[in-house]
Amino acid sequence: MSQNLPKGMGKTVAGLAVAVAAVACAGAVVVVSRRIRERGQRAKCLAILEEFRTACATPVSRLRQIVDALVVEMHAGLASDGGSRLKMLPSFVDVLPNGDEKGLYYALDLGGTNFRVLRVQLGGKEGRVIKQEYEEVSIPHRLMAASGQELFEYIAKELASFVNREGEGFRPHGNQKRELGFTFSFPVNQTAINSGTLVQWTKGFTCDGVPGKNVVQFLEEAMAKVGLQMKVTALVNDTVGTLAGGRYWNEDVMVAIILGTGTNACYVERADAINKWNGLLPRSNSMVINTEWGNFWSSHLPKTYADEGLDADSVNPGEQGFEKLISGMYMGDIVRRVLLKMAQEADIFGKPIAPKLMQPYTLSTPHMSKMHGDETHDLRNVAKVLKDAFNISGTSLTVRKIVYMVCEVVCERGGRLAAAGVVGILKKIGRDGTGAGAGGQPLSRSSSAKNVSSRPRRTVVAMDGGLYEHYGKFREYLQQATTELLGEEVAKNVLIELSKDGSGIGAALLAASHSPSQKNL
Ligand code: BGC
């Protein structure tokens, strides 16, 4: 080549070639060392993932231990107040709606970041639900930490404006006063069907002055202040509302569960099995028990550094342990905590660490569900969520696969633990196929002597909550583990049914079935 070059140029070109080769070589060294580093980081991430997966494992043997621990705690909670972390609160609901209810009833459903107001015109056995209307109102974030008065006044104002818009087709029965079923989805020590004191806030609420007080009084005072004439006939937990709503349509509903922002379960118990109950035994000898299982804890539950960190940073450390493993408010943040560890110890997303990755609750459970539901070949939904939630972009497919796997581990653990909860309750009422436990009477005004049959009994679990409704893979894990625990045969007679928004209408129905005006129907 140098033959045709002007004199002296040959040397220059040769020098250049050496330089180019050197640069190429240095480039190759950079690429190789970057690859080695990436491989090292990937190996470290995989090790973190593996360690986390092992710590979260829920083999069926462990689930059985959890089922048994739950049953033991249920007994202890029924025996005495404070006998267990499981509060096992008597709801004072000893009759469930049976279809005879008539008239106009309102409901107010408060339990998360939204509340719902609803009215329903009931037409008895023939007409059933003649007409219903509802509205959903979001609670401004600051009110979750404001004073109790402020919170209840806001709610009463919205309720009053809804009542003012009552239109055609809604009318009270005879000279019935407007009555309200109040679904209040927090732990409450009921003192009657229509009064009870808040034990403690959950799900991020911290409003001052309410714990230890009668929440119905708060609501009634707020209603009086805005000039709203209405009587609170029933105060119910959302699980109890869901049970009532489910039972209105289906006699086999014995258990209701919420898997949403928070989690909880209630079921029908034999009243004479509630040792701590001091009142008269109801005619039905049945009582709905609000377990408040969100606060369940057992040493068999798998707990990791991510759960410990989440609990320590929460507004209620040491409380709601089961809820923090399985509910919608927390699962996304558990994923975030694992990813943060991968970022800190294995540089998974490169440097510097995205500020939002360090901020609690930037990754919601709907985000997690979106990533976990990603079926695209390049996991582009995972990429999109990483961008939206943390402002992280440019991730490799390998990194996105690791993120996906973290979601999978957290979801699988949550779904399977929730299944252990379901089976624990079924075991307590003798509906898990083992013949153990007892309880679970039909509980309605007209059905005390039924239910004596040699046929396997069908048991319906009414399920509500956004987590269960919208997170398909969570639902699948829950169902699969329930079947594993019960065995195929028994599982055929246990139906978990979505009872969407049943808690609001259930509260209205309970207001009706406990209303003095129904006695004259
Ligand atoms: C509350 C329960 C409620 C559940 C579901 C929990 O945080 O303690 O009372 O039923 O959330 O809304």
Short mmCIF file of all heavy atoms in Angstrom, two decimals, residues 279-341:
data_model
loop_
_atom_site.label_atom_id
_atom_site.label_comp_id
_atom_site.label_asym_id
_atom_site.label_seq_id
_atom_site.Cartn_x
_atom_site.Cartn_y
_atom_site.Cartn_z
N GLY A 279 -73.09 -11.04 76.17
CA GLY A 279 -74.51 -10.69 75.96
C GLY A 279 -75.38 -11.95 75.90
O GLY A 279 -74.90 -13.08 76.04
N LEU A 280 -76.67 -11.71 75.65
CA LEU A 280 -77.59 -12.84 75.47
C LEU A 280 -77.22 -13.58 74.20
O LEU A 280 -76.77 -12.96 73.23
CB LEU A 280 -79.02 -12.30 75.32
CG LEU A 280 -79.69 -11.71 76.55
CD1 LEU A 280 -81.05 -11.15 76.18
CD2 LEU A 280 -79.81 -12.80 77.62
N LEU A 281 -77.47 -14.88 74.18
CA LEU A 281 -77.21 -15.61 72.94
C LEU A 281 -78.33 -15.28 71.95
O LEU A 281 -79.51 -15.33 72.32
CB LEU A 281 -77.19 -17.11 73.19
CG LEU A 281 -75.93 -17.67 73.85
CD1 LEU A 281 -76.00 -19.18 73.94
CD2 LEU A 281 -74.67 -17.26 73.07
N PRO A 282 -77.98 -14.94 70.75
CA PRO A 282 -79.04 -14.61 69.79
C PRO A 282 -79.89 -15.83 69.43
O PRO A 282 -79.42 -16.96 69.55
CB PRO A 282 -78.25 -14.13 68.56
CG PRO A 282 -76.85 -14.54 68.78
CD PRO A 282 -76.64 -14.78 70.22
N ARG A 283 -81.12 -15.58 68.99
CA ARG A 283 -82.03 -16.68 68.65
C ARG A 283 -81.45 -17.58 67.57
O ARG A 283 -81.62 -18.79 67.58
CB ARG A 283 -83.37 -16.11 68.16
CG ARG A 283 -84.26 -15.63 69.27
CD ARG A 283 -85.72 -16.10 69.12
NE ARG A 283 -86.23 -16.08 67.75
CZ ARG A 283 -86.98 -15.10 67.26
NH1 ARG A 283 -87.29 -14.06 68.00
NH2 ARG A 283 -87.46 -15.18 66.04
N SER A 284 -80.72 -16.97 66.66
CA SER A 284 -80.13 -17.76 65.57
C SER A 284 -78.93 -18.59 66.05
O SER A 284 -78.41 -19.42 65.31
CB SER A 284 -79.64 -16.83 64.46
OG SER A 284 -78.63 -15.98 64.97
N ASN A 285 -78.48 -18.35 67.27
CA ASN A 285 -77.22 -18.90 67.81
C ASN A 285 -76.07 -18.73 66.82
O ASN A 285 -75.18 -19.57 66.71
CB ASN A 285 -77.36 -20.38 68.21
CG ASN A 285 -76.12 -20.81 69.02
OD1 ASN A 285 -75.48 -19.98 69.66
ND2 ASN A 285 -75.77 -22.09 68.95
N SER A 286 -76.09 -17.66 66.09
CA SER A 286 -75.01 -17.38 65.15
C SER A 286 -74.59 -15.93 65.28
O SER A 286 -75.38 -15.08 65.68
CB SER A 286 -75.48 -17.60 63.72
OG SER A 286 -75.83 -18.94 63.54
N MET A 287 -73.36 -15.70 64.93
CA MET A 287 -72.88 -14.31 64.96
C MET A 287 -71.75 -14.19 63.94
O MET A 287 -70.90 -15.09 63.84
CB MET A 287 -72.34 -14.03 66.37
CG MET A 287 -71.55 -12.78 66.54
SD MET A 287 -72.51 -11.29 66.80
CE MET A 287 -73.52 -11.65 68.19
N VAL A 288 -71.78 -13.11 63.19
CA VAL A 288 -70.68 -12.89 62.25
C VAL A 288 -69.49 -12.34 63.04
O VAL A 288 -69.64 -11.41 63.83
CB VAL A 288 -71.10 -11.89 61.14
CG1 VAL A 288 -69.92 -11.59 60.22
CG2 VAL A 288 -72.27 -12.44 60.35
N ILE A 289 -68.34 -12.96 62.83
CA ILE A 289 -67.12 -12.53 63.51
C ILE A 289 -66.20 -11.84 62.51
O ILE A 289 -65.89 -12.40 61.44
CB ILE A 289 -66.37 -13.73 64.13
CG1 ILE A 289 -67.20 -14.38 65.23
CG2 ILE A 289 -65.00 -13.32 64.66
CD1 ILE A 289 -67.30 -13.58 66.52
N ASN A 290 -65.79 -10.64 62.87
CA ASN A 290 -64.79 -9.93 62.07
C ASN A 290 -63.42 -10.32 62.63
O ASN A 290 -63.04 -9.89 63.71
CB ASN A 290 -65.05 -8.42 62.19
CG ASN A 290 -63.88 -7.59 61.68
OD1 ASN A 290 -63.00 -8.10 60.99
ND2 ASN A 290 -63.87 -6.30 62.00
N THR A 291 -62.69 -11.14 61.89
CA THR A 291 -61.44 -11.70 62.45
C THR A 291 -60.34 -10.65 62.58
O THR A 291 -59.46 -10.78 63.40
CB THR A 291 -60.88 -12.82 61.55
OG1 THR A 291 -60.50 -12.26 60.29
CG2 THR A 291 -61.89 -13.94 61.37
N GLU A 292 -60.35 -9.62 61.70
CA GLU A 292 -59.21 -8.68 61.58
C GLU A 292 -57.92 -9.46 61.36
O GLU A 292 -56.91 -9.23 62.02
CB GLU A 292 -59.12 -7.76 62.80
CG GLU A 292 -60.16 -6.66 62.83
CD GLU A 292 -60.03 -5.64 61.69
OE1 GLU A 292 -58.91 -5.39 61.19
OE2 GLU A 292 -61.08 -5.08 61.27
N TRP A 293 -57.96 -10.37 60.37
CA TRP A 293 -56.80 -11.23 60.15
C TRP A 293 -55.57 -10.48 59.64
O TRP A 293 -54.47 -11.02 59.62
CB TRP A 293 -57.15 -12.44 59.30
CG TRP A 293 -57.15 -12.26 57.79
CD1 TRP A 293 -56.79 -11.15 57.07
CD2 TRP A 293 -57.50 -13.26 56.82
NE1 TRP A 293 -56.92 -11.38 55.72
CE2 TRP A 293 -57.35 -12.67 55.55
CE3 TRP A 293 -57.92 -14.58 56.90
CZ2 TRP A 293 -57.62 -13.37 54.36
CZ3 TRP A 293 -58.18 -15.27 55.72
CH2 TRP A 293 -58.03 -14.67 54.48
N GLY A 294 -55.75 -9.22 59.25
CA GLY A 294 -54.59 -8.43 58.83
C GLY A 294 -53.53 -8.38 59.92
O GLY A 294 -52.34 -8.23 59.66
N ASN A 295 -53.97 -8.53 61.18
CA ASN A 295 -53.03 -8.44 62.30
C ASN A 295 -52.53 -9.82 62.74
O ASN A 295 -51.81 -9.93 63.72
CB ASN A 295 -53.72 -7.75 63.48
CG ASN A 295 -52.71 -7.17 64.45
OD1 ASN A 295 -51.66 -6.67 64.05
ND2 ASN A 295 -53.00 -7.26 65.74
N PHE A 296 -52.90 -10.85 61.98
CA PHE A 296 -52.44 -12.21 62.32
C PHE A 296 -50.92 -12.27 62.21
O PHE A 296 -50.33 -11.67 61.32
CB PHE A 296 -53.10 -13.19 61.33
CG PHE A 296 -52.53 -14.58 61.34
CD1 PHE A 296 -52.48 -15.32 62.52
CD2 PHE A 296 -52.05 -15.16 60.16
CE1 PHE A 296 -51.95 -16.61 62.51
CE2 PHE A 296 -51.54 -16.44 60.15
CZ PHE A 296 -51.49 -17.17 61.35
N TRP A 297 -50.29 -13.01 63.14
CA TRP A 297 -48.87 -13.29 62.96
C TRP A 297 -48.54 -14.68 63.47
O TRP A 297 -49.15 -15.18 64.41
CB TRP A 297 -47.97 -12.25 63.65
CG TRP A 297 -46.58 -12.46 63.16
CD1 TRP A 297 -45.55 -13.06 63.83
CD2 TRP A 297 -46.10 -12.18 61.85
NE1 TRP A 297 -44.45 -13.16 63.01
CE2 TRP A 297 -44.76 -12.64 61.79
CE3 TRP A 297 -46.67 -11.62 60.70
CZ2 TRP A 297 -43.99 -12.54 60.63
CZ3 TRP A 297 -45.89 -11.51 59.55
CH2 TRP A 297 -44.57 -11.96 59.53
N SER A 298 -47.59 -15.31 62.80
CA SER A 298 -47.11 -16.62 63.23
C SER A 298 -45.65 -16.71 62.80
O SER A 298 -45.27 -16.17 61.76
CB SER A 298 -47.94 -17.70 62.53
OG SER A 298 -47.16 -18.85 62.33
N SER A 299 -44.86 -17.43 63.59
CA SER A 299 -43.44 -17.57 63.24
C SER A 299 -43.28 -18.37 61.93
O SER A 299 -42.21 -18.38 61.35
CB SER A 299 -42.69 -18.25 64.38
OG SER A 299 -43.31 -19.50 64.62
N HIS A 300 -44.33 -19.04 61.49
CA HIS A 300 -44.24 -19.79 60.24
C HIS A 300 -44.34 -18.88 59.01
O HIS A 300 -44.06 -19.31 57.90
CB HIS A 300 -45.33 -20.85 60.16
CG HIS A 300 -45.24 -21.85 61.28
ND1 HIS A 300 -44.16 -22.68 61.44
CD2 HIS A 300 -46.09 -22.13 62.29
CE1 HIS A 300 -44.34 -23.44 62.52
NE2 HIS A 300 -45.50 -23.12 63.04
N LEU A 301 -44.78 -17.65 59.21
CA LEU A 301 -44.92 -16.75 58.05
C LEU A 301 -43.53 -16.33 57.56
O LEU A 301 -42.67 -15.96 58.37
CB LEU A 301 -45.74 -15.52 58.42
CG LEU A 301 -47.23 -15.78 58.60
CD1 LEU A 301 -47.92 -14.63 59.33
CD2 LEU A 301 -47.91 -16.00 57.25
N PRO A 302 -43.31 -16.40 56.25
CA PRO A 302 -41.98 -16.06 55.73
C PRO A 302 -41.75 -14.55 55.72
O PRO A 302 -42.50 -13.82 55.07
CB PRO A 302 -42.02 -16.61 54.30
CG PRO A 302 -43.46 -16.70 53.95
CD PRO A 302 -44.25 -16.79 55.20
N LYS A 303 -40.72 -14.12 56.42
CA LYS A 303 -40.46 -12.68 56.52
C LYS A 303 -39.03 -12.40 56.07
O LYS A 303 -38.11 -13.13 56.44
CB LYS A 303 -40.64 -12.27 57.98
CG LYS A 303 -40.70 -10.78 58.20
CD LYS A 303 -41.03 -10.48 59.64
CE LYS A 303 -41.41 -9.02 59.81
NZ LYS A 303 -41.72 -8.71 61.19
N THR A 304 -38.84 -11.35 55.29
CA THR A 304 -37.51 -11.03 54.75
C THR A 304 -37.08 -9.64 55.20
O THR A 304 -37.85 -8.91 55.82
CB THR A 304 -37.56 -11.00 53.21
OG1 THR A 304 -38.36 -9.87 52.83
CG2 THR A 304 -38.17 -12.27 52.63
N TYR A 305 -35.84 -9.28 54.81
CA TYR A 305 -35.35 -7.92 55.13
C TYR A 305 -36.29 -6.86 54.53
O TYR A 305 -36.50 -5.79 55.12
CB TYR A 305 -33.92 -7.71 54.58
CG TYR A 305 -33.85 -7.92 53.08
CD1 TYR A 305 -34.10 -6.87 52.20
CD2 TYR A 305 -33.60 -9.17 52.54
CE1 TYR A 305 -34.09 -7.07 50.83
CE2 TYR A 305 -33.58 -9.38 51.18
CZ TYR A 305 -33.83 -8.33 50.33
OH TYR A 305 -33.84 -8.54 48.98
N ALA A 306 -36.88 -7.15 53.37
CA ALA A 306 -37.76 -6.15 52.73
C ALA A 306 -39.01 -5.93 53.61
O ALA A 306 -39.46 -4.79 53.77
CB ALA A 306 -38.18 -6.63 51.34
N ASP A 307 -39.53 -7.02 54.18
CA ASP A 307 -40.71 -6.88 55.04
C ASP A 307 -40.35 -6.16 56.33
O ASP A 307 -41.15 -5.36 56.84
CB ASP A 307 -41.27 -8.27 55.38
CG ASP A 307 -41.52 -9.08 54.12
OD1 ASP A 307 -42.31 -8.61 53.29
OD2 ASP A 307 -40.89 -10.14 53.94
N GLU A 308 -39.16 -6.46 56.84
CA GLU A 308 -38.75 -5.80 58.08
C GLU A 308 -38.60 -4.29 57.87
O GLU A 308 -39.06 -3.49 58.68
CB GLU A 308 -37.44 -6.39 58.60
CG GLU A 308 -37.72 -7.58 59.49
CD GLU A 308 -36.56 -8.54 59.62
OE1 GLU A 308 -35.41 -8.13 59.30
OE2 GLU A 308 -36.80 -9.70 60.01
N GLY A 309 -37.98 -3.92 56.76
CA GLY A 309 -37.79 -2.50 56.45
C GLY A 309 -39.13 -1.81 56.27
O GLY A 309 -39.37 -0.71 56.79
N LEU A 310 -40.02 -2.47 55.53
CA LEU A 310 -41.34 -1.88 55.26
C LEU A 310 -42.08 -1.65 56.58
O LEU A 310 -42.64 -0.58 56.82
CB LEU A 310 -42.13 -2.83 54.36
CG LEU A 310 -43.53 -2.37 53.96
CD1 LEU A 310 -43.82 -2.80 52.53
CD2 LEU A 310 -44.61 -2.89 54.87
N ASP A 311 -42.03 -2.65 57.46
CA ASP A 311 -42.74 -2.52 58.73
C ASP A 311 -42.14 -1.39 59.57
O ASP A 311 -42.86 -0.55 60.10
CB ASP A 311 -42.64 -3.86 59.49
CG ASP A 311 -43.41 -3.80 60.79
OD1 ASP A 311 -44.56 -3.30 60.77
OD2 ASP A 311 -42.88 -4.23 61.84
N ALA A 312 -40.81 -1.36 59.64
CA ALA A 312 -40.15 -0.35 60.48
C ALA A 312 -40.49 1.06 59.99
O ALA A 312 -40.66 1.98 60.79
CB ALA A 312 -38.65 -0.58 60.47
N ASP A 313 -40.61 1.25 58.67
CA ASP A 313 -40.88 2.58 58.12
C ASP A 313 -42.37 2.92 58.08
O ASP A 313 -42.74 4.00 57.63
CB ASP A 313 -40.34 2.69 56.68
CG ASP A 313 -38.83 2.57 56.65
OD1 ASP A 313 -38.22 2.66 57.73
OD2 ASP A 313 -38.27 2.38 55.55
N SER A 314 -43.23 1.97 58.46
CA SER A 314 -44.67 2.21 58.29
C SER A 314 -45.22 3.07 59.44
O SER A 314 -44.53 3.28 60.43
CB SER A 314 -45.43 0.87 58.27
OG SER A 314 -45.41 0.29 59.56
N VAL A 315 -46.47 3.53 59.29
CA VAL A 315 -47.06 4.34 60.37
C VAL A 315 -47.52 3.47 61.53
O VAL A 315 -47.88 3.97 62.58
CB VAL A 315 -48.26 5.21 59.87
CG1 VAL A 315 -47.79 6.28 58.92
CG2 VAL A 315 -49.36 4.36 59.26
N ASN A 316 -47.53 2.14 61.33
CA ASN A 316 -47.98 1.24 62.41
C ASN A 316 -47.02 0.05 62.58
O ASN A 316 -47.41 -1.10 62.38
CB ASN A 316 -49.41 0.76 62.15
CG ASN A 316 -49.59 0.15 60.77
OD1 ASN A 316 -48.67 0.18 59.93
ND2 ASN A 316 -50.74 -0.42 60.50
N PRO A 317 -45.75 0.34 62.95
CA PRO A 317 -44.80 -0.77 63.07
C PRO A 317 -45.27 -1.82 64.07
O PRO A 317 -45.89 -1.48 65.07
CB PRO A 317 -43.50 -0.10 63.55
CG PRO A 317 -43.79 1.32 63.78
CD PRO A 317 -45.15 1.64 63.26
N GLY A 318 -45.00 -3.07 63.72
CA GLY A 318 -45.38 -4.18 64.62
C GLY A 318 -46.85 -4.58 64.49
O GLY A 318 -47.28 -5.55 65.09
N GLU A 319 -47.62 -3.83 63.70
CA GLU A 319 -49.04 -4.15 63.54
C GLU A 319 -49.30 -4.64 62.12
O GLU A 319 -48.56 -4.32 61.21
CB GLU A 319 -49.91 -2.90 63.75
CG GLU A 319 -49.73 -2.19 65.08
CD GLU A 319 -50.32 -2.98 66.24
OE1 GLU A 319 -51.26 -3.75 66.00
OE2 GLU A 319 -49.81 -2.85 67.36
N GLN A 320 -50.40 -5.32 61.96
CA GLN A 320 -50.90 -5.74 60.64
C GLN A 320 -49.85 -6.53 59.84
O GLN A 320 -49.66 -6.30 58.65
CB GLN A 320 -51.38 -4.51 59.83
CG GLN A 320 -52.51 -3.71 60.48
CD GLN A 320 -53.81 -4.47 60.61
OE1 GLN A 320 -54.14 -4.96 61.69
NE2 GLN A 320 -54.57 -4.60 59.53
N GLY A 321 -49.20 -7.47 60.52
CA GLY A 321 -48.12 -8.24 59.89
C GLY A 321 -48.58 -9.03 58.68
O GLY A 321 -47.92 -9.03 57.63
N PHE A 322 -49.72 -9.71 58.79
CA PHE A 322 -50.20 -10.53 57.67
C PHE A 322 -50.59 -9.61 56.51
O PHE A 322 -50.26 -9.87 55.35
CB PHE A 322 -51.42 -11.34 58.16
CG PHE A 322 -51.87 -12.45 57.24
CD1 PHE A 322 -50.97 -13.35 56.71
CD2 PHE A 322 -53.22 -12.61 56.94
CE1 PHE A 322 -51.40 -14.40 55.87
CE2 PHE A 322 -53.67 -13.64 56.11
CZ PHE A 322 -52.76 -14.53 55.59
N GLU A 323 -51.26 -8.50 56.86
CA GLU A 323 -51.67 -7.52 55.83
C GLU A 323 -50.45 -7.01 55.06
O GLU A 323 -50.50 -6.82 53.84
CB GLU A 323 -52.39 -6.37 56.53
CG GLU A 323 -52.79 -5.23 55.61
CD GLU A 323 -53.88 -4.36 56.26
OE1 GLU A 323 -55.05 -4.76 56.20
OE2 GLU A 323 -53.56 -3.29 56.79
N LYS A 324 -49.35 -6.80 55.76
CA LYS A 324 -48.17 -6.25 55.10
C LYS A 324 -47.51 -7.26 54.16
O LYS A 324 -46.71 -6.88 53.31
CB LYS A 324 -47.18 -5.72 56.15
CG LYS A 324 -47.65 -4.40 56.76
CD LYS A 324 -46.82 -3.94 57.93
CE LYS A 324 -47.38 -2.63 58.50
NZ LYS A 324 -46.96 -2.36 59.87
N LEU A 325 -47.84 -8.54 54.31
CA LEU A 325 -47.29 -9.53 53.38
C LEU A 325 -48.17 -9.73 52.15
O LEU A 325 -47.67 -10.11 51.09
CB LEU A 325 -47.17 -10.90 54.08
CG LEU A 325 -46.17 -11.04 55.22
CD1 LEU A 325 -46.29 -12.44 55.83
CD2 LEU A 325 -44.75 -10.82 54.73
N ILE A 326 -49.48 -9.52 52.31
CA ILE A 326 -50.36 -9.98 51.22
C ILE A 326 -51.25 -8.92 50.61
O ILE A 326 -52.00 -9.22 49.69
CB ILE A 326 -51.27 -11.15 51.68
CG1 ILE A 326 -52.32 -10.71 52.71
CG2 ILE A 326 -50.45 -12.29 52.26
CD1 ILE A 326 -53.36 -11.79 52.99
N SER A 327 -51.23 -7.68 51.10
CA SER A 327 -52.27 -6.78 50.57
C SER A 327 -51.73 -5.75 49.58
O SER A 327 -50.52 -5.55 49.43
CB SER A 327 -53.02 -6.10 51.72
OG SER A 327 -52.31 -4.96 52.14
N GLY A 328 -52.67 -5.12 48.92
CA GLY A 328 -52.36 -4.21 47.82
C GLY A 328 -51.60 -2.97 48.23
O GLY A 328 -50.85 -2.40 47.44
N MET A 329 -51.77 -2.55 49.47
CA MET A 329 -51.06 -1.34 49.88
C MET A 329 -49.54 -1.60 49.92
O MET A 329 -48.75 -0.68 49.71
CB MET A 329 -51.54 -0.92 51.27
CG MET A 329 -50.77 0.25 51.82
SD MET A 329 -51.76 1.25 52.89
CE MET A 329 -50.54 2.41 53.45
N TYR A 330 -49.15 -2.84 50.18
CA TYR A 330 -47.75 -3.08 50.49
C TYR A 330 -46.94 -3.87 49.47
O TYR A 330 -45.71 -3.74 49.43
CB TYR A 330 -47.67 -3.81 51.85
CG TYR A 330 -48.36 -3.03 52.95
CD1 TYR A 330 -49.61 -3.41 53.44
CD2 TYR A 330 -47.77 -1.89 53.49
CE1 TYR A 330 -50.25 -2.69 54.44
CE2 TYR A 330 -48.40 -1.16 54.50
CZ TYR A 330 -49.63 -1.57 54.96
OH TYR A 330 -50.26 -0.84 55.94
N MET A 331 -47.56 -4.75 48.69
CA MET A 331 -46.75 -5.66 47.87
C MET A 331 -45.83 -4.92 46.89
O MET A 331 -44.68 -5.31 46.70
CB MET A 331 -47.63 -6.66 47.14
CG MET A 331 -48.16 -7.74 48.08
SD MET A 331 -48.64 -9.23 47.21
CE MET A 331 -49.79 -8.58 46.07
N GLY A 332 -46.34 -3.84 46.30
CA GLY A 332 -45.52 -3.07 45.36
C GLY A 332 -44.27 -2.54 46.05
O GLY A 332 -43.16 -2.54 45.49
N ASP A 333 -44.45 -2.11 47.30
CA ASP A 333 -43.30 -1.54 48.00
C ASP A 333 -42.29 -2.61 48.40
O ASP A 333 -41.10 -2.32 48.53
CB ASP A 333 -43.75 -0.72 49.21
CG ASP A 333 -42.67 0.30 49.60
OD1 ASP A 333 -42.25 1.06 48.71
OD2 ASP A 333 -42.21 0.29 50.76
N ILE A 334 -42.75 -3.83 48.59
CA ILE A 334 -41.80 -4.92 48.88
C ILE A 334 -40.91 -5.12 47.65
O ILE A 334 -39.69 -5.24 47.75
CB ILE A 334 -42.54 -6.22 49.26
CG1 ILE A 334 -43.39 -5.98 50.51
CG2 ILE A 334 -41.55 -7.36 49.48
CD1 ILE A 334 -44.32 -7.12 50.88
N VAL A 335 -41.54 -5.12 46.47
CA VAL A 335 -40.77 -5.26 45.22
C VAL A 335 -39.74 -4.12 45.13
O VAL A 335 -38.56 -4.35 44.84
CB VAL A 335 -41.72 -5.23 43.99
CG1 VAL A 335 -40.93 -5.13 42.69
CG2 VAL A 335 -42.62 -6.45 43.99
N ARG A 336 -40.21 -2.90 45.40
CA ARG A 336 -39.28 -1.76 45.31
C ARG A 336 -38.08 -1.95 46.23
O ARG A 336 -36.94 -1.68 45.87
CB ARG A 336 -40.02 -0.46 45.70
CG ARG A 336 -39.13 0.79 45.62
CD ARG A 336 -39.76 1.98 46.33
NE ARG A 336 -39.88 1.81 47.75
CZ ARG A 336 -38.89 2.02 48.64
NH1 ARG A 336 -37.70 2.43 48.22
NH2 ARG A 336 -39.09 1.80 49.93
N ARG A 337 -38.32 -2.47 47.42
CA ARG A 337 -37.23 -2.63 48.38
C ARG A 337 -36.20 -3.66 47.89
O ARG A 337 -35.01 -3.50 48.11
CB ARG A 337 -37.78 -3.02 49.76
CG ARG A 337 -38.38 -1.81 50.47
CD ARG A 337 -39.18 -2.16 51.71
NE ARG A 337 -39.87 -0.96 52.17
CZ ARG A 337 -39.35 -0.07 53.03
NH1 ARG A 337 -38.17 -0.28 53.55
NH2 ARG A 337 -40.04 1.01 53.35
N VAL A 338 -36.68 -4.71 47.24
CA VAL A 338 -35.73 -5.71 46.72
C VAL A 338 -34.93 -5.09 45.56
O VAL A 338 -33.70 -5.26 45.47
CB VAL A 338 -36.49 -6.98 46.26
CG1 VAL A 338 -35.51 -8.00 45.71
CG2 VAL A 338 -37.28 -7.57 47.42
N LEU A 339 -35.62 -4.34 44.69
CA LEU A 339 -34.91 -3.70 43.57
C LEU A 339 -33.89 -2.69 44.09
O LEU A 339 -32.79 -2.56 43.53
CB LEU A 339 -35.90 -3.00 42.63
CG LEU A 339 -36.92 -3.92 41.93
CD1 LEU A 339 -37.82 -3.11 41.00
CD2 LEU A 339 -36.21 -5.02 41.14
N LEU A 340 -34.24 -2.01 45.16
CA LEU A 340 -33.30 -1.04 45.72
C LEU A 340 -32.03 -1.75 46.22
O LEU A 340 -30.91 -1.29 46.01
CB LEU A 340 -33.98 -0.27 46.87
CG LEU A 340 -33.11 0.77 47.58
CD1 LEU A 340 -32.62 1.84 46.60
CD2 LEU A 340 -33.87 1.45 48.72
N LYS A 341 -32.23 -2.89 46.84
CA LYS A 341 -31.06 -3.66 47.30
C LYS A 341 -30.19 -4.04 46.10
O LYS A 341 -28.97 -3.95 46.14
CB LYS A 341 -31.53 -4.90 48.06
CG LYS A 341 -30.39 -5.74 48.65
CD LYS A 341 -30.97 -6.85 49.54
CE LYS A 341 -30.02 -7.96 49.81
NZ LYS A 341 -29.26 -7.81 51.04
#
